[in-house]
Amino acid sequence: MTAELVRGQNHALPQTRLEIRVSAGSPVVAGATLGDERGAVRGEEWVAHPGSPRLPGLEVSRQAAADHRLAVDLDALPEEVHRVTVLLALPTGAGRPARFGAVAAPFVAVTGLDGTEIATFTLTGLDTESAVSALELYRRQGAWKVRAVGQGYAGGLAGMLADQGVAGAVEVAASIQQAVAAGLARAVTPPPRTPEPDRARNPAAPASTTAAGDGMPPAPVPPPQPPGDPAPVPPGGTPGGPIDYAHPRRQTTAPPPPPPTAPPAAPGQPAQPVAGDATGWSMDERLYNQIWGMFEDLARAVAAYRSAVDFAESRMDQELDRTLSDPRSRIGGTGDRAREEARVKRDELTGRAREALDRDLAQLAAESAVVEPALPPAYAAWDNPVWHGYRVPMEIPMAMRIGDLHLPEDAGLRIPLLVRLPLERGIWLDSGRTASEAAAETSGDQLRRLATETAVALATRLLAVYPADEFSVHVIDPAGSAAGALAPLVASGVLAGPPAAGAEGVSSVLAGLTRRVDLVQMAVRARASDALPPDLDTGEQLLIVNDFPHGFDDRAVTQLRYLADEGPAVGVHLLMVADREDARAYGPVLDPLWRSLLRITPVADDHLADPWVGHAWTYEPLRAPRGSRVLEQVLALVAAARRGGAH
């Protein structure tokens, strides 16, 4: 059955040799880009367009047309390719439409080689855009899926290519439009297809990737040959036959793919999840990429569901408006029947959307259940058994977990929130009252206590993931109000000094860290790192500030802003526990400070916005299980490693 996709929805692909058919109300340019595991296009050579229509495993039309057929062989794509994005653009020129809102909505269908439709997508809602990313084919856990994108660009081809990371996007877009202009006057029909019986007689040969818009079938594209090698002969034994995309001598600098640790899934069944099922040079990098892949899948699955529900509601309203606009339908049972029929259609659409969402959520939950136990300490929650075997590392990991994210459609499915290391910005733990339900049920004193405890847990994790003596923690607690929460850090002896109290203590710590930032900046600019004072600690520094702005004068506030802006680049990071309302007397002076920090909360709160799909993600902090002494045990091991390194 054909899947009729809405924006953001995905669908599994049952085969790897496909055609993508495009129908539009006026001539459009059809192209495609190849993306790596992060979706980035590595260069112009990864863009298929009318001026360069063939890439390994992919072929597009040579000119603008109202109908296109793009040929894709997913098995023949380079190993480092994880995404194929289909692009549509309006050709430039006098008298031609300048925006998609002035033409009929383009229709895109993914079909098998026999023409059977697998998934379709109508690109509605476009207006001023002159280029659009229609859909993408992407690889997830070894299986390929198609996703309806529908992202339009008012900046045209150049804006779209720039958004995908293509260097020289303006020049590439201009060359595409020039190639289109050269052949735009020509109207051609799709080339003849190879009959199915001919293919059956040579099952070893892949289907020739033929695209509509060419005046002749494509010539074979041989793989690159080292000097002295004979030219290859396509499968079938004669030149001009189907293209061999095997590329036995292909070289790649991409990270190696994950090892095949799970048996292939049965036809029609989802692939069995495997921890580390992503590209990367190490297991940590694979797990990092896999976690962000899970985040992306959850975001898009929920976006597709919400879009489908909105569409169902909108269609019901439109049907009711059309029916009830006739006064005669309001008499008798006509109006009631119309309402009931509209509601039935709405419920059917929303039910189908929910079934698709539940399938995606179940797959993600199964993947999460496999991934969580395999996480290293830097990525693991505090209740993970990996902490029982914790040892101080010899090098820093690429990222660290600072909490969990979830959406209301399945609050039990948690995605780890990872931040790259070294930290690129400070963190603000908001101890004020927010609009969340959890904050409403918590008193102000409890929020401040939970915020301080969360700060201690984050500092402990940072100390745990860095090698011994490469990370120092300073604390400013002007009124001593956080003495209880700070006890694990103080008792273990891992702090650079006792928590600073009073205005004098605040001034002393800030002056020392400001001096460090200044000296390291000067040494970096002068390329004279050997000129740094011998007593200067060149390791990463974390400053925990509690109860801001108590104990801070204007000079101290200025120094704090300086550390927030300049510190991360030279290894000085802020972790502030503060209620913004307490600092309202400073007015807009502190606005740059708050904006420079990553805001998190001590209780669950849906304040993290996702601008791509419009979600408000609920953040939940990591806490040690009640009664657990995992923080104290980890800090004791860190302190012991530091003492051992000092001898």
Side-chain angles (χ1 to χ4, degrees):
M1 189 175 89
T2 303
E4 298 179 1
L5 305 180
V6 297
R7 186 174 281 108
Q9 191 173 7
N10 58 34
H11 183 73
L13 293 172
Q15 58 201 77
T16 57
R17 294 179 185 172
L18 308 164
E19 279 190 350
I20 299 173
R21 302 183 180 185
V22 179
S23 298
S26 64
V28 297
V29 181
T33 59
L34 306 180
D36 59 18
E37 66 275 8
R38 300 181 184 275
V41 181
R42 296 188 177 178
E44 183 180 356
E45 65 276 9
W46 274 22
V47 183
H49 57 82
S52 178
R54 298 188 186 101
L55 296 178
L58 174 66
E59 188 161 346
V60 304
S61 305
R62 291 179 181 269
Q63 64 182 42
D67 296 291
H68 293 270
R69 287 184 182 179
L70 285 67
V72 182
D73 185 352
L74 299 174
D75 288 337
L77 294 172
E79 294 175 357
E80 58 267 33
V81 172
H82 287 251
R83 295 189 188 183
V84 179
T85 304
V86 177
L87 315 175
L88 303 179
L90 294 172
T92 57
R96 302 197 178 279
R99 59 189 184 91
F100 274 108
V103 300
F107 173 81
V108 185
V110 180
T111 74
L113 295 181
D114 59 356
T116 302
E117 289 186 346
I118 299 170
T120 63
F121 176 41
T122 302
L123 284 77
T124 59
L126 298 176
D127 186 10
T128 60
E129 300 89 345
S130 59
V132 60
S133 294
L135 54 80
E136 65 180 13
L137 314 178
Y138 67 100
R139 183 160 47 191
R140 186 83 177 96
Q141 294 185 344
W144 284 92
K145 294 183 178 182
V146 57
R147 177 183 292 116
V149 180
Q151 175 65 54
Y153 294 84
L157 264 175
M160 179 166 54
L161 294 174
D163 188 54
Q164 296 192 27
V166 178
V170 175
E171 292 76 11
V172 175
S175 68
I176 294 173
Q177 293 291 4
Q178 289 173 1
V180 171
L184 195 56
R186 207 158 47 96
V188 297
T189 57
R193 296 173 50 79
T194 305
E196 289 297 328
D198 291 346
R199 290 199 192 110
R201 284 196 294 270
N202 187 14
S208 176
T209 54
T210 304
D214 294 351
M216 57 183 292
V221 181
Q225 297 296 308
D229 278 11
V233 178
T238 58
I243 304 169
D244 181 6
Y245 288 123
H247 296 299
R249 286 178 294 277
R250 177 174 57 217
Q251 299 296 320
T252 176
T253 58
T261 55
Q269 298 296 320
Q272 294 297 316
V274 177
D277 188 15
T279 57
W281 292 107
S282 65
M283 178 56 78
D284 283 5
E285 186 176 357
R286 289 173 179 168
L287 288 168
Y288 175 87
N289 291 333
Q290 184 173 15
I291 288 170
W292 281 109
M294 292 165 60
F295 170 85
E296 185 179 70
D297 279 359
L298 178 58
R300 287 171 168 167
V302 171
Y305 168 71
R306 293 179 181 178
S307 178
V309 171
D310 290 343
F311 171 77
E313 293 285 351
S314 175
R315 194 173 81 165
M316 182 185 71
D317 292 341
Q318 292 174 3
E319 291 178 352
L320 289 176
D321 288 343
R322 284 195 299 267
T323 301
L324 299 179
S325 61
D326 185 354
R328 292 172 296 179
S329 64
R330 303 177 189 178
I331 302 174
T334 304
D336 293 337
R337 286 194 299 271
R339 291 188 186 91
E340 184 60 27
E341 290 174 0
R343 291 192 184 100
V344 169
K345 291 180 182 178
R346 178 202 60 187
D347 293 343
E348 180 184 358
L349 286 174
T350 55
R352 286 163 52 190
R354 185 71 212 193
E355 289 177 3
L357 175 64
D358 288 342
R359 287 195 301 270
D360 290 338
L361 292 178
Q363 180 69 9
L364 284 169
E367 186 174 4
S368 178
V370 171
V371 169
E372 279 286 353
L375 295 178
Y379 302 172
W382 288 116
D383 59 355
N384 192 310
V386 72
W387 289 106
H388 297 317
Y390 166 77
R391 293 293 182 270
V392 177
M394 301 298 293
E395 59 183 18
I396 68 170
M398 67 182 299
M400 184 188 80
R401 185 174 184 169
I402 64 170
D404 290 333
L405 299 175
H406 61 86
L407 292 171
E409 280 75 8
D410 189 347
L413 179 57
R414 309 296 176 90
I415 305 296
L417 175 58
L418 305 179
V419 295
R420 295 297 296 264
L421 294 178
L423 294 173
E424 297 174 354
R425 59 193 298 202
I427 297 175
W428 166 29
L429 257 163
D430 190 351
S431 59
R433 186 172 300 282
T434 63
S436 71
E437 182 179 344
E441 297 173 352
T442 309
S443 68
D445 290 340
Q446 288 178 313
L447 283 173
R448 285 188 287 273
R449 177 180 58 79
L450 290 173
T452 310
E453 291 176 354
T454 304
V456 170
L458 287 173
T460 301
R461 185 173 289 262
L462 281 164
L463 286 164
V465 301
Y466 271 82
D469 294 330
E470 289 190 18
F471 196 88
S472 300
V473 177
H474 310 260
V475 177
I476 290 178
D477 185 22
S481 59
L486 293 170
L489 294 175
V490 175
S492 63
V494 295
L495 293 180
E504 185 177 349
V506 171
S507 176
S508 174
V509 172
L510 290 177
L513 291 175
T514 301
R515 172 179 174 270
R516 182 195 180 282
V517 171
D518 290 339
L519 290 174
V520 174
Q521 281 185 337
M522 287 188 290
V524 170
R525 290 167 185 162
R527 299 181 180 179
S529 57
D530 55 343
L532 288 170
D535 63 334
L536 188 74
D537 183 1
T538 57
E540 300 282 312
Q541 311 286 315
L542 177 71
L543 173 60
I544 302 176
V545 179
N546 182 55
D547 209 15
F548 176 82
H550 183 80
F552 281 72
D553 55 20
D554 290 345
R555 176 180 173 81
V557 169
T558 301
Q559 289 176 319
L560 190 68
R561 287 183 53 188
Y562 176 74
L563 293 178
D565 292 338
E566 304 294 335
V570 292
V572 177
H573 313 284
L574 285 185
L575 177 53
M576 288 185 57
V577 180
D579 179 359
R580 190 169 183 174
E581 282 298 306
D582 293 342
R584 63 183 180 274
Y586 287 92
V589 173
L590 290 181
D591 286 352
L593 173 64
W594 305 120
R595 287 196 298 266
S596 69
L597 304 174
L598 172 63
R599 176 177 173 256
I600 59 177
T601 52
V603 294
D605 188 87
D606 60 349
H607 67 281
L608 291 178
D610 185 346
W612 195 84
V613 290
H615 296 333
W617 288 85
T618 297
Y619 167 83
E620 195 146 344
L622 295 177
R623 289 202 183 88
R626 186 179 297 275
S628 170
R629 295 188 55 81
V630 62
L631 297 186
E632 290 82 356
Q633 293 168 0
V634 168
L635 289 172
L637 291 172
V638 171
R642 292 187 172 193
R643 289 193 298 271
H647 294 307

